[in-house]
């Protein structure tokens, strides 16, 4: 799914600034069929395995693919990146293979 498709699933109401919380993201994940658990606290990228949504300092979210060392940051128009100077605070591992084809196709 593209960023715009995911963003359309979040109800920002009439807010001009799009602020996303873990609850917003967990709702989207549940809606597309991914099972979710509580975010895990960390301050090191090396703690994260698989594909994860990562909450970083300055209250921002990114997608990190630890297997391939790729950082998908919606604030960066070019990407994915192979490094990030952002500091993780917590993460939620997601398993894209758990999606049913009905949910994604």
């Amino acid at each position: 799914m593209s960023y715009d498709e995911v963003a359309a699933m979040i109800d920002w109401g009439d807010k001009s600034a799009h602020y996303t919380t873990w609850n917003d993201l967990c709702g989207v994940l549940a809606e597309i069929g991914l099972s979710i658990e509580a975010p895990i606290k960390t301050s090191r990228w090396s703690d994260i395995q698989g594909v994860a949504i990562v909450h970083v300092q300055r209250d921002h979210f990114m997608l990190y693919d630890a297997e391939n060392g790729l950082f998908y940051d919606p604030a960066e128009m070019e990407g994915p990146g192979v490094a990030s100077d952002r500091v993780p605070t917590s993460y939620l591992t997601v398993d894209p293979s758990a999606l049913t084809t009905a949910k994604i196709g």
Side-chain angles (χ1 to χ4, degrees):
M1 295 179 80
S2 72
Y3 173 82
D4 289 336
E5 290 171 316
V6 172
M9 298 171 78
I10 299 172
D11 179 16
W12 281 305
D14 59 357
K15 298 175 195 167
S16 60
H18 292 166
Y19 180 83
T20 306
T21 66
W22 270 122
N23 285 341
D24 295 330
L25 291 174
C26 288
V28 169
L29 294 173
E31 190 173 329
I32 63 173
L34 287 171
S35 63
I36 52 172
E37 297 185 20
I40 301 165
K41 295 201 178 294
T42 189
S43 60
R44 300 182 316 210
W45 289 105
S46 60
D47 289 343
I48 304 169
Q49 297 180 3
V51 176
I53 296 171
V54 183
H55 188 209
V56 296
Q57 286 181 341
R58 296 189 164 218
D59 212 16
H60 183 66
F61 290 93
M62 299 172 54
L63 186 70
Y64 176 53
D65 177 352
E67 285 185 25
N68 297 299
L70 298 174
F71 297 83
Y72 297 86
D73 187 344
E76 302 291 330
M77 293 302 148
E78 295 180 18
V82 294
S84 176
D85 59 359
R86 296 185 187 266
V87 178
T89 59
S90 58
Y91 68 96
L92 181 64
T93 301
V94 294
D95 180 6
S97 66
L99 288 170
T100 64
T101 53
K103 297 277 184 189
I104 60 172

